[in-house]
Amino acid sequence: MRKMYNHMRNRFVKVTMFGLALAMSACNSSTSSSDKDEASEGTAANRETNTEETYMVYLGTSGEADKENIFIYNLNTQTGELTPAGAASGGEKPTYLAFSENRQFLYAVNEKGDFEGEQSGAVTAFSVDQQNGQLTMLNQVASKGTGPCHVSVDEKNGMVLVANYGGGNVAALPLNQDGALEAATGVGQHKGSGPNKDRQEGPHAHYITPDPAQKFVFAVDLGTDQVLGYRYQDNKLVPNEPAVAYTVKAGSGPRHMAFHPNGRFAFLINELNSTMVALAYDADKGTFSEVQTITTIPADFKENNQCSAVKVSSDGKYLYGANRGHNSIVVYAINESTGELKQVQLASVGGDWPRDFTIDLTGNILLVANERSNNLVSFKIDKASGKLTASGHEVQVEAPMCPKVVPAFK
């Protein structure tokens, strides 16, 4: 029987956004994977499982402002059990999250269209208590575009990167030593459209990440069917040469991307035509070339499906992609020499509309945030086959969006 918790009845900690108050919870705590970012999430080497070491999950949601809407859990990486460990107010719709490498700071996009009178969303910075993992808000700055939907940290260059879906642009926000954010120093405005008139009437930046060497920055644009490349010049984000790093088949609607641990390959998931593209990466030029395109759903599935997130296992052997509509995680084996993919499983997500998912640092557990069924579900990973099995554990939370796993704070 599934063990479930309802946040309306289990509020362990309240951290209000405007009061900057920190309340302590009497719970166990834990560490983080640097978001170098989501593209490299799950690509660090597998940690040896230590039964005495605990982990924490931070979950962004589309919750209302002035309410608890970033939730914290302790994760048992042997069983997949999740237990509440705190909560904070992250402002309006703190959907996507990213940690600094040292886990001292957390950043969240506020997915809205108006910030302090400007047509823009926001990015919020938090300090993370190193004893218990609780959050205290540091500051909030404009994302320089409406509907920010993804955030990552470029540690080497001292930047937080944000993709603005509604604004069709990306921005780089300098980091202060105290973890607070400064105003954007560079904004990249995308241009163009695609054949899908409902979804590609203009540019829609959906994802942004530095490459493994943190030399280039790549933005995935659903509206223009492109991966665009950027670099830094005088501490500003400017287009790379060439500016377009890769173009997918028209109407594909690329959404998220993940690099392989070896740095030679990347994998691009397309929301609108339910495909996964394996790419060879030229780290000198900052460009990609196609290795293979493969479907994410069964050939006989004719209902609406919109892909969301993609992750690589930490050992580089398996690739995972989320299907919203088919409500599954597709699992592929990766040929580490060629980058080619072979499907090995389609696993039900145990809910509706998987917005995002993550793999814990031990490589034992995969967590899926099902937006419409309001549950965060854990799965055990068979490291030999890459296949997923439901752990029997989940938590209920309204409109879960983006889970991040870090080692516990002690």
Side-chain angles (χ1 to χ4, degrees):
M1 186 172 181
R2 290 176 175 172
K3 189 173 183 180
M4 307 176 78
Y5 300 85
N6 189 317
H7 279 288
M8 299 302 294
R9 297 190 296 270
N10 291 277
R11 295 190 173 183
F12 283 70
V13 179
K14 291 186 177 181
V15 185
T16 64
M17 170 181 166
F18 297 106
L20 300 179
L22 176 66
M24 311 288 280
S25 73
C27 60
N28 297 332
S29 18
S30 220
T31 269
S32 150
S33 102
S34 149
D35 242 301
K36 263 183 192 174
D37 117 84
E38 227 169 85
S40 63
E41 180 182 352
T43 59
N46 262 340
R47 300 168 65 103
E48 290 297 324
T49 302
N50 182 343
T51 55
E52 296 181 358
E53 186 173 20
T54 55
Y55 291 82
M56 299 181 82
V57 180
Y58 290 72
L59 179 65
T61 73
S62 61
E64 298 176 9
D66 304 328
K67 293 185 178 180
E68 292 175 342
N69 49 23
I70 297 177
F71 299 100
I72 308 170
Y73 305 92
N74 287 322
L75 171 66
N76 183 320
T77 59
Q78 299 299 305
T79 66
E81 183 178 12
L82 294 152
T83 54
S89 173
E92 184 178 348
K93 296 182 178 179
T95 55
Y96 275 73
L97 311 176
F99 273 91
S100 62
E101 279 190 25
N102 58 15
R103 296 177 302 130
Q104 292 183 5
F105 308 106
L106 176 70
Y107 302 93
V109 295
N110 297 102
E111 199 167 321
K112 57 183 183 175
D114 178 40
F115 177 69
E116 297 183 347
E118 181 179 351
Q119 283 193 332
S120 174
V123 183
T124 303
F126 301 88
S127 64
V128 184
D129 189 296
Q130 299 299 289
Q131 297 301 311
N132 59 24
Q134 303 307 310
L135 303 176
T136 300
M137 185 180 137
L138 296 173
N139 74 331
Q140 233 181 18
V141 299
S143 67
K144 294 302 178 180
T146 59
C149 61
H150 190 259
V151 62
S152 63
V153 180
D154 186 341
E155 205 86 30
K156 179 179 177 181
N157 294 290
M159 295 285 184
V160 165
L161 305 168
V162 58
N164 296 300
Y165 181 88
N169 61 17
V170 297
L173 312 172
L175 284 167
N176 287 327
Q177 287 188 346
D178 65 358
L181 294 165
E182 296 181 8
T185 58
V187 177
Q189 181 62 53
H190 299 174
K191 297 180 181 180
S193 60
N196 187 321
K197 300 306 179 185
D198 293 330
R199 297 293 309 279
Q200 296 183 308
E201 79 293 345
H204 292 299
H206 220 311
Y207 180 88
I208 187 166
T209 183
D211 74 343
Q214 295 177 295
K215 177 181 178 181
F216 299 107
V217 170
F218 295 105
V220 178
D221 196 298
L222 181 147
T224 67
D225 289 321
Q226 294 173 326
V227 177
L228 295 112
Y230 291 90
R231 57 187 172 82
Y232 295 103
Q233 181 176 301
D234 300 327
N235 206 36
K236 294 182 179 180
L237 197 64
V238 298
N240 188 31
E241 298 175 4
V244 178
Y246 182 72
T247 301
V248 298
K249 179 182 177 182
S252 297
R255 182 182 172 99
H256 279 202
M257 183 170 71
F259 278 93
H260 192 275
N262 65 21
R264 295 172 49 210
F265 306 109
F267 304 94
L268 184 67
I269 195 165
N270 294 315
E271 178 175 340
L272 301 184
N273 71 354
S274 300
T275 59
M276 185 79 73
V277 185
L279 300 168
Y281 178 51
D282 187 326
D284 294 324
K285 296 180 180 178
T287 59
F288 302 89
S289 57
E290 181 180 353
V291 173
Q292 178 192 22
T293 297
I294 188 170
T295 185
T296 66
I297 55 175
D300 60 356
F301 187 78
K302 304 302 180 183
E303 299 175 37
N304 176 49
N305 187 71
Q306 299 176 33
C307 295
S308 56
V310 56
K311 302 290 191 301
V312 183
S313 65
S314 54
D315 59 11
K317 294 181 179 180
Y318 299 99
L319 180 71
Y320 299 84
N323 288 305
R324 297 177 299 176
H326 190 257
N327 290 333
S328 63
I329 298 293
V330 61
V331 185
Y332 306 98
I334 302 172
N335 184 319
E336 296 182 70
S337 297
T338 66
E340 291 181 315
L341 304 172
K342 182 179 180 181
Q343 185 178 313
V344 297
Q345 187 189 26
L346 272 166
S348 170
V349 295
D352 187 14
W353 216 248
R355 182 64 178 258
D356 199 5
F357 65 94
T358 192
I359 300 171
D360 90 276
L361 302 180
T362 67
N364 290 337
I365 301 295
L366 185 144
L367 299 166
V368 182
N370 292 310
E371 181 182 2
R372 293 181 178 175
S373 54
N374 301 317
N375 60 345
L376 177 68
V377 185
S378 72
F379 295 83
K380 293 183 179 181
I381 301 173
D382 184 322
K383 293 181 182 179
S385 68
K387 292 183 177 181
L388 304 177
T389 303
S391 71
H393 297 286
E394 66 178 68
V395 291
Q396 293 179 316
V397 58
E398 186 175 356
M401 304 290 273
C402 173
K404 296 290 181 184
V405 179
V406 299
F409 299 85
K410 301 173 182 178

